[in-house]
């Protein structure tokens, strides 16, 4: 439910256009895999009157993904682009 809420802020122009949204979890995903999950969540949870393909595509371009296990300190020193 977080991504649909962030999408609404994006669509309403309430967040900076340069803001990137970085997802993280233990799962190993590519940025495109994460964006596909985001697109599925938006398709399922957005009200019909909020579904604007151009805005959705623009929002999905904000998304990046970084695998990380929060139960270990390993990886916290790794930069997003390392």
């Amino acid at each position: 439910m977080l991504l649909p809420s962030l999408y609404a802020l994006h669509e309403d122009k309430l967040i900076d256009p340069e803001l990137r949204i970085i997802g993280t979890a233990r799962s190993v995903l590519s940025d495109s895999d994460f964006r596909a999950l985001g697109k599925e969540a938006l398709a399922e949870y957005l009200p019909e009157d909020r579904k604007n393909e151009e805005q959705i595509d623009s929002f999905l371009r904000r998304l990046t993904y970084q695998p990380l296990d929060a139960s270990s300190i390993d990886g916290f020193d790794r930069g997003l682009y390392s």
Side-chain angles (χ1 to χ4, degrees), residues 1-20:
M1 295 300 290
L2 181 60
L3 288 178
S5 296
L6 291 170
Y7 168 78
L9 294 173
H10 165 84
E11 186 182 33
D12 293 341
K13 297 181 179 20
L14 295 174
I15 54 177
D16 189 293
E18 300 300 316
L19 178 82
R20 292 181 28 224

Side-chain angles (χ1 to χ4, degrees), residues 11-82:
E11 186 182 33
D12 293 341
K13 297 181 179 20
L14 295 174
I15 54 177
D16 189 293
E18 300 300 316
L19 178 82
R20 292 181 28 224
I21 298 166
I22 303 167
T24 188
R26 286 184 232 165
S27 303
V28 176
L29 297 173
S30 66
D31 289 344
S32 61
D33 291 337
F34 183 56
R35 289 177 184 132
L37 288 173
K39 188 169 189 161
E40 290 174 19
L42 296 178
E44 183 173 349
Y45 295 108
L46 281 180
E48 288 302 316
D49 66 332
R50 292 291 248 177
K51 292 181 179 177
N52 174 311
E53 287 305 314
E54 185 177 315
Q55 286 292 325
I56 289 172
D57 289 344
S58 173
F59 174 74
L60 293 173
R61 286 191 294 273
R62 291 177 179 264
L63 303 182
T64 58
Y65 184 81
Q66 179 67 48
L68 183 69
D69 181 353
S71 67
S72 168
I73 62 169
D74 296 333
F76 278 92
D77 61 345
R78 186 175 52 233
L80 185 59
Y81 298 104
S82 61

